[in-house]
Amino acid sequence: MKNNKVELGKISKYLSYILRHNPSAANLQLDPKGWADIDLLIQNSDASYQITYEKIKEVVATNEKQRFAMSQDGKKIRANQGHSIQVDLDLTETTPPPFLYHGTAVRFLQSIEQEGLKPMQRHHVHLTEDIAIARSVGSRYGVPVILTISSGEMHKRGYPFYLSQNGVWLTNHVGPDFIKRNE
């Protein structure tokens, strides 16, 4: 059981890399919506991962963050968000809750206080409704800090928000005036 979880975790990271950042590493071409043909993905993937259709289905079904989606016919896969390459995920502008959260590390606070939250190498800033998720994300980069984002106020002022298929809130930029550090 544990070995299977470790194996699926490695496959998930590999799929994230291929589907979000570098499809050419698996000799793949994503369509404009970010979809990749699963048969070609299996055929062209690094053999050390021993990727099968069943393993891909299991990764999609069991990934805690629901990072991937399969097409209804089961022939294609894509990442739900987090791309550094250009794709159109068909996101619809959505009214956010009054407050959202962002997890970061203490070492990034000075830059955030000056410039706000920027998408960096991604297309959007990622936010969540769940403080525990924000804390988990922040802890990946060091001592975590939770930032409260006045998303409702931002939206009133015309900033667009999108909700990805896996529940991650996305926006283009969060200015420092809309950020409050949780103590």
Side-chain angles (χ1 to χ4, degrees), residues 23-134:
S24 64
N27 202 23
L28 286 176
Q29 191 86 28
L30 302 183
D31 75 13
K33 305 287 183 189
W35 293 102
D37 181 276
I38 290 177
D39 289 337
L40 287 175
L41 173 63
I42 293 167
Q43 177 183 330
N44 296 340
S45 287
D46 183 326
S48 67
Y49 291 97
Q50 300 178 349
I51 294 177
T52 64
Y53 184 79
E54 290 73 27
K55 288 177 185 177
I56 289 174
K57 274 181 67 172
E58 192 170 354
V59 166
V60 172
T62 62
N63 185 271
E64 290 175 359
K65 295 184 178 182
Q66 293 296 294
R67 288 193 165 127
F68 311 103
M70 288 181 76
S71 61
Q72 289 199 343
D73 64 6
K75 294 181 179 182
K76 295 185 178 193
I77 185 173
R78 76 174 180 184
N80 284 324
Q81 98 289 321
H83 297 83
S84 61
I85 56 176
Q86 191 60 47
V87 296
D88 176 7
L89 296 176
D90 281 331
L91 298 170
T92 302
E93 192 171 334
T94 305
T95 302
F99 299 100
L100 291 168
Y101 304 96
H102 182 83
T104 191
V106 171
R107 68 177 190 241
F108 300 128
L109 280 178
Q110 185 177 5
S111 171
I112 291 169
E113 288 169 350
Q114 293 173 357
E115 301 175 32
L117 293 169
K118 301 186 296 186
M120 307 309 278
Q121 286 80 32
R122 296 182 178 179
H123 293 281
H124 297 97
V125 173
H126 293 198
L127 305 170
T128 180
E129 294 180 60
D130 187 328
I131 290 176
I133 290 173

Side-chain angles (χ1 to χ4, degrees), residues 94-103 125-135 137 146-149 151-152 161-170 182:
T94 305
T95 302
F99 299 100
L100 291 168
Y101 304 96
H102 182 83
V125 173
H126 293 198
L127 305 170
T128 180
E129 294 180 60
D130 187 328
I131 290 176
I133 290 173
R135 184 173 291 108
V137 169
I146 309 304
L147 304 175
T148 299
I149 310 304
S151 47
F161 282 83
Y162 310 93
L163 184 59
S164 70
Q165 188 173 340
N166 61 339
V168 175
W169 284 92
L170 307 170
N182 284 14

Side-chain angles (χ1 to χ4, degrees), residues 142-159:
V143 177
V145 176
I146 309 304
L147 304 175
T148 299
I149 310 304
S150 298
S151 47
E153 184 61 30
M154 284 180 66
H155 189 260
K156 285 180 197 170
R157 294 191 192 182
Y159 292 85

